Amino acid sequence: MATSTDDIRNSMSKDVAALQQEVSRLQKMISAQGTEAYYELRDRAGKAYDEAAPRARTAVAQIKAGSTAAAQAARDNATATTTALLLAGAIGFLAGYMLGGATQPEPRHWWR
């Protein structure tokens, strides 16, 4: 019986050692694949940035030019700008007042 138990232990020890080696090999393989994926993703991101940066600069310049033109138009036509903003504010206030008053529930008294 002792021989059989020793044989089983030796066999299990060999199996465990083989599994440990296999796990180690798999960890190294996954690590190598992760490193490769990281470098590939980094290269793709760099290329995407390099392609998008000039477009973004152009868009920012166009937005700046448009906002400058709008600001200049507002300065040149101050009366019309003020009137338009006041009218928009008054319409918004009236719409909010009407919607807010229409949704008021009936007041409930604490004694009911």
Side-chain angles (χ1 to χ4, degrees):
M1 178 96 167
T3 309
S4 176
T5 305
D6 290 338
D7 290 342
I8 292 173
R9 282 187 184 159
N10 288 336
S11 176
M12 288 184 71
S13 295
K14 289 178 184 178
D15 289 344
V16 168
L19 286 174
Q20 287 175 340
Q21 288 176 350
E22 184 67 18
V23 167
S24 177
R25 187 183 67 80
L26 289 172
Q27 285 176 337
K28 289 177 184 177
M29 189 169 59
I30 289 171
S31 175
Q33 288 177 350
T35 302
E36 182 180 327
Y38 165 76
Y39 286 121
E40 183 179 335
L41 184 62
R42 188 181 70 171
D43 290 342
R44 283 185 185 175
K47 288 177 185 176
Y49 177 79
D50 291 342
E51 290 175 3
R55 292 180 189 160
R57 284 188 204 103
T58 303
V60 167
Q62 289 176 350
I63 291 170
K64 243 184 207 179
S67 64
T68 302
Q72 186 60 39
R75 276 190 225 106
D76 291 345
N77 302 306
T79 305
T81 303
T82 303
T83 303
L85 289 174
L86 283 175
L87 184 61
I91 290 171
F93 175 77
L94 287 174
Y97 182 75
M98 292 176 78
L99 290 173
T103 60
Q104 290 289 330
E106 287 292 319
R108 300 189 113 210
H109 301 290
W110 62 271
W111 61 84
R112 284 191 190 179

